[in-house]
């Protein structure tokens, strides 16, 4: 299944449905509309609409179109309805925001979205000085269904997306969660012969699963923690990731938005090396606290060992023993005997009884990104020690 990058980028625009077009509904107040349009333009997004109906408490934005700076054409997403609009501290509170059902087709691929519904959205006043400054925020949102079709076949579908956000207040960090009831993917549409052979051998022609995300962000000191990012596939396993960063402050966010705007404004084919260096400089404001990646097995490992064994005329147990023997030699290149012994023991334990395998990095103290980048260039073999890398198997 081959999908052009431009098509995927168009589909990605649909993720703006719950933020970008909402602000234009305040167009009846020209000053507010102009400020919001200017703020979004600073983030590299243009918004337009064909009309506004209703009153100052309930209104419908008609014919909304959005266009990030990197795109040549705007994407029309239809009408957006706002209900329960009230003035608040120089800004606006919006009780409910709902988009229209959305469909977009290009290059034989069709994206369908059910109405996206947002609850309790706050649009701060110009020059707001709260924890999030002038950034908008909402408390919850739902998307009932999303489907991606290739020709007349459903390649991917997702049901029951739910997002919840607790705004920062009284010195406490913002909290956020996201879940889905289920997603489904039809892997028979994959057209690469080698990939298709592996998919068929493992029995994953059609997969189902769900994902769950949770984290916190303290905008005052920039501590950003993703405590859960789990993607689970039935009869395969769960891949989970976490990270904890420092320095992700409001000033950093504003600088990043400005940098992205400048890079998007560059003509196609232009030299972006100066912007790339500036981006590296911006990233040096961040610090690394910890990160991890973990896989909890639900039969995938055994299936892979069986498949590789059949390819080589060996048993799954022989393949596992072969892998255990190879690991120490591969790890020896790091010249880190302690980590080599740890990885060897963890891999052996996992292959003997596949339950979970986790790689984590947790230095004793926060490490500036500048130090990480310098170490990667001067002595990359020392990075595992700098970051406190460890590996464990079959542990909670």
């Amino acid at each position: 299944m081959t999908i052009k990058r431009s098509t995927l980028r168009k589909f990605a625009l649909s993720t703006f449905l719950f933020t970008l077009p909402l602000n234009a509904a305040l167009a009846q107040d020209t000053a507010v509309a102009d400020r919001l349009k200017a703020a979004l333009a600073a983030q590299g997004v243009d918004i337009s609409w064909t009309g506004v109906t209703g009153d100052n408490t309930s209104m419908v934005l008609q014919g909304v179109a959005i266009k990030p700076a990197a795109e040549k054409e705007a994407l029309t997403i239809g009408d957006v309805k706002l209900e329960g609009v009230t003035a608040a501290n120089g800004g606006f509170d919006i009780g409910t925001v709902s988009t229209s059902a959305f469909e977009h087709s290009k290059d034989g691929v069709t994206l369908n979205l059910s109405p996206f519904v947002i609850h309790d959205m706050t649009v701060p006043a110009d020059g707001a000085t709260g924890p999030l400054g002038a950034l908008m925020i909402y408390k919850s949102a739902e998307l009932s269904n999303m489907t991606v079709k290739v020709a007349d076949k459903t390649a991917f579908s997702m049901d029951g997306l739910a997002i919840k956000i607790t705004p920062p207040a009284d010195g406490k960090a913002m909290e956020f969660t996201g879940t889905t009831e289920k997603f489904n993917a039809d892997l028979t549409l994959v057209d690469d012969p080698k990939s298709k052979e592996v998919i068929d051998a493992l029995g994953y022609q059609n997969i189902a699963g769900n994902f769950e995300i949770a984290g916190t962000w303290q905008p005052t000191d920039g501590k950003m923690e993703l405590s859960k990012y789990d993607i689970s596939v039935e009869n395969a396993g769960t891949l989970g990731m976490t990270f904890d960063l420092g320095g992700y402050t409001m000033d950093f966010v504003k600088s990043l938005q400005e940098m992205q705007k400048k890079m998007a404004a560059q003509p196609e084919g232009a030299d972006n090396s100066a912007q790339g260096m500036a981006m590296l400089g911006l990233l040096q404001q961040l610090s690394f606290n910890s990160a991890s990646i973990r896989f909890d097995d639900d039969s995938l490992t055994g299936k892979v060992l069986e498949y590789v064994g059949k390819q080589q005329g060996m048993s799954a147990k022989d393949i596992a023993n072969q892998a255990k023997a190879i690991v120490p030699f591969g790890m020896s290149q790091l010249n880190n005997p302690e980590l080599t012994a740890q990885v060897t023991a963890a891999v052996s334990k996992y292959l003997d009884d596949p339950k979970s395998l986790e790689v984590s990095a947790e230095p004793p103290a926060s490490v500036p990104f500048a130090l990480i980048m310098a170490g990667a260039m001067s002595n990359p073999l020392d990075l595992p020690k700098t970051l406190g890398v460890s590996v464990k198997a079959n542990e909670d």
Side-chain angles (χ1 to χ4, degrees):
M1 177 175 58
T2 302
I3 302 176
K4 294 183 179 180
R5 180 178 296 180
S6 61
T7 302
L8 292 176
R9 288 171 64 190
K10 281 291 185 183
F11 288 166
L13 299 185
S14 64
T15 62
F16 287 106
L17 294 179
F18 52 92
T19 55
L20 303 184
L22 313 178
N23 312 306
L26 305 174
Q28 292 163 324
D29 184 330
T30 303
V32 173
D34 290 344
R35 179 181 67 80
L36 291 173
K37 288 174 71 71
L40 291 171
Q43 299 179 35
V45 180
D46 292 328
I47 299 176
S48 63
W49 59 91
T50 59
V52 179
T53 62
D55 55 34
N56 61 359
T57 61
S58 180
M59 59 198 75
V60 176
L61 257 181
Q62 300 172 319
V64 175
I66 58 175
K67 188 181 81 66
E71 295 293 329
K72 294 182 179 179
E73 299 178 0
L75 180 67
T76 299
I77 61 173
D79 295 349
V80 177
K81 186 175 183 179
L82 292 87
E83 299 174 282
V85 180
T86 59
N89 301 317
F92 298 87
D93 288 338
I94 306 175
T96 304
V97 180
S98 54
T99 68
S100 303
F102 174 79
E103 179 176 314
H104 182 73
S105 298
K106 189 175 180 67
D107 298 334
V109 181
T110 300
L111 171 69
N112 282 281
L113 295 174
S114 63
F116 195 90
V117 182
I118 301 169
H119 304 284
D120 300 319
M121 184 171 189
T122 298
V123 182
D126 186 14
T129 57
L132 295 177
L135 288 184
M136 296 174 294
I137 193 170
Y138 57 88
K139 292 184 178 180
S140 64
E142 305 97 36
L143 179 70
S144 295
N145 177 261
M146 177 184 79
T147 61
V148 178
K149 291 186 176 181
V150 178
D152 59 345
K153 295 184 177 181
T154 299
F156 179 83
S157 66
M158 180 182 67
D159 296 320
L161 172 65
I163 300 169
K164 292 185 178 180
I165 298 175
T166 302
D170 301 325
K172 296 181 179 179
M174 180 179 78
E175 300 178 358
F176 57 89
T177 62
T179 59
T180 61
E181 293 178 3
K182 177 172 281 191
F183 66 76
N184 294 273
D186 184 357
L187 301 187
T188 64
L189 299 177
V190 173
D191 55 13
D192 177 68
K194 292 184 178 180
S195 299
K196 194 175 185 67
E197 177 187 347
V198 175
I199 291 169
D200 290 342
L202 298 179
Y204 291 128
Q205 294 89 343
N206 291 277
I207 62 173
N210 59 73
F211 85 81
E212 185 174 0
I213 183 173
T216 62
W217 176 40
Q218 179 54 273
T220 55
D221 62 15
K223 181 178 173 62
M224 169 73 80
E225 181 180 5
L226 185 68
S227 56
K228 177 178 288 188
Y229 191 99
D230 289 353
I231 302 174
S232 300
V233 176
E234 296 174 4
N235 300 314
T238 298
L239 181 66
M241 293 170 280
T242 70
F243 68 75
D244 187 338
L245 305 177
Y248 200 85
T249 62
M250 286 299 303
D251 287 340
F252 177 86
V253 172
K254 293 176 182 178
S255 297
L256 182 61
Q257 292 172 345
E258 185 62 28
M259 183 65 62
Q260 291 172 332
K261 179 185 175 184
K262 290 180 179 179
M263 295 180 73
Q266 289 284 344
E268 187 173 352
D271 182 8
N272 286 322
S273 57
Q275 285 76 15
M277 291 299 295
M279 183 67 75
L280 287 175
L282 183 61
L283 292 177
Q284 292 184 25
Q285 298 179 29
L286 300 177
S287 59
F288 177 87
N289 297 322
S290 66
S292 71
I293 181 167
R294 176 187 174 103
F295 179 72
D296 287 273
D297 186 64
D298 184 18
S299 79
L300 175 61
T301 303
K303 293 174 182 177
V304 171
L305 292 174
E306 289 284 353
Y307 171 74
V308 176
K310 289 181 180 179
Q311 296 294 304
Q312 299 185 15
M314 302 169 64
S315 68
K317 185 175 181 180
D318 290 337
I319 293 298
N321 289 332
Q322 188 179 79
K324 289 188 285 185
I326 293 174
V327 169
F329 294 99
M331 290 295 298
S332 64
Q333 300 179 35
L334 295 178
N335 194 28
N336 188 332
E338 182 180 353
L339 183 61
T340 296
Q342 189 180 96
V343 172
T344 301
V347 171
S348 296
K349 184 178 181 180
Y350 178 77
L351 291 176
D352 287 339
D353 182 21
K355 292 181 179 178
S356 67
L357 188 64
E358 182 174 359
V359 180
S360 60
E362 189 170 356
S366 182
V367 181
F369 268 46
L371 182 60
I372 296 175
M373 289 186 282
M377 292 185 289
S378 62
N379 193 359
L381 297 182
D382 275 350
L383 274 181
K385 296 179 181 178
T386 302
L387 299 178
V389 174
S390 62
V391 181
K392 60 183 181 182
N394 300 347
E395 295 185 20
D396 293 335

